[in-house]
Amino acid sequence: MTQPTAPHIFAADQRSRWLSNPPGIWSLQDADLDAIPTMSILTTLWDQPRWLEAYHLYDEHGSELFEDICDLPEYYLTRTENSILEANAKNIVAAAPVKCIVELGAGYSKKTIHLLSEQTRQRGQSVFAPIDVSVAGLLASQSAVQKDFPQLEFHGIHARYEDGICAIEKSLPTLFVFLGSTIGNFNHTEFPRFFRALSAAMGPDDYLLLGADRIKPVKLLEDAYNDSRGITAEFILNVFRNINGLLGANFDLKQMRYQSWFNPEWQQIEMYAVATASQEIRFPNAGAAFEWRQNEKILVEISRKFDANRLQQQLRFIGLTPVEHFTDANQWFSVLLFRKEG
Ligand code: AVJ
């Protein structure tokens, strides 16, 4: 079978690196996506404190649990951001005159639909290219977009964010969309590294739309990550089921519990798994093991909360100029539009 040539959304020097499989979903030819999670899990688990990169939470079951979290009464983020986008999609799209929308992460949510329908209404023919590490998510997005927006050219990019971002053609006016306060997952080294890479990859006619959860009373924050139905606990501990499957490890979900709190100094929710008994965790495939002591915590996820003005100032230093700031009546969440410094 001959490979179709990668489309014009990829930079010319990148096109030969991307293969389409299945049709419309592009993957890096030389990426070893299996080796990467193993390496990531083992290194961070041997760190002090032990921790995990957040993307391991999103196996199939984890993605379903996250969908359930979005509907929880305590989890105000998704609802609030959606209302901001619904109310302002027209202004956002008008302020960012682009031909292409690249979404980082989950491809086809209610929130994205507001932007896509405004984009097609205001500009007609356009490109929509979500970047995601999950092929299943990209395929779902593809079939939904093809059905609802036949005017949109769809290209799914199966890659980690930075690999995907760097491949996009700089001269194609593009709006990068990064919603849900996913940036809250980045720690203090990942955060500047990510934004430097994004800013460097953006062309002079490119924009960034960023969703960020804001600092607010601690009770509201802590409840959002410790819901009464225990779905958040299930979501966090599910990462160990995923790791057992990936690495043949023996984490026992009955010998751990979920614990979270808002760290006021770091202004972040920290989500931990705590060992309820000492246990030996073995990774037979890697010939490795460690002693997980009773009460020792593994940091599974952080969710940083932001001061919107400070975030704008920070990104200004990285070459991203604030264009507009959209928020809700309570000022719980911000949707920020930036353009690349010309
Ligand atoms: C998807 C990273 C934005 O931090 O609020 C929700 C993930 N973890 N409940 C968040 C999450 C537990 C979520 N993000």
Side-chain angles (χ1 to χ4, degrees), residues 54 57-58 66 69 75 77 179-185 213 224-225 232 235-236 258 271 301-305:
L57 287 160
Y58 298 92
F66 181 64
I69 288 175
Y75 196 75
L77 285 82
L179 298 176
S181 203
T182 304
I183 51 161
N185 274 166
D213 194 22
Y225 295 89
T232 308
F235 170 71
I236 294 296
Y258 173 63
M271 289 163 266
E301 192 183 22
I302 60 169
S303 189
R304 296 178 57 197
K305 304 304 161 190

Side-chain angles (χ1 to χ4, degrees), residues 28-93:
L28 263 182
Q29 189 174 25
D30 34 31
D32 185 353
L33 287 170
D34 288 338
I36 294 165
T38 303
M39 207 189 286
S40 147
I41 291 163
L42 291 171
T43 6
T44 60
L45 280 180
W46 260 257
D47 217 338
Q48 178 59 36
R50 303 185 196 280
W51 64 289
L52 291 167
E53 285 192 87
Y55 77 96
H56 304 298
L57 287 160
Y58 298 92
D59 64 343
E60 208 179 306
H61 188 47
S63 304
E64 284 164 15
L65 287 168
F66 181 64
E67 291 298 310
D68 296 341
I69 288 175
C70 293
D71 292 331
L72 288 169
E74 294 98 335
Y75 196 75
Y76 59 84
L77 285 82
T78 313
R79 234 174 293 120
T80 309
E81 185 183 50
N82 185 59
S83 73
I84 297 169
L85 287 169
E86 185 169 21
N88 298 289
K90 194 173 164 193
N91 294 334
I92 293 167
V93 169

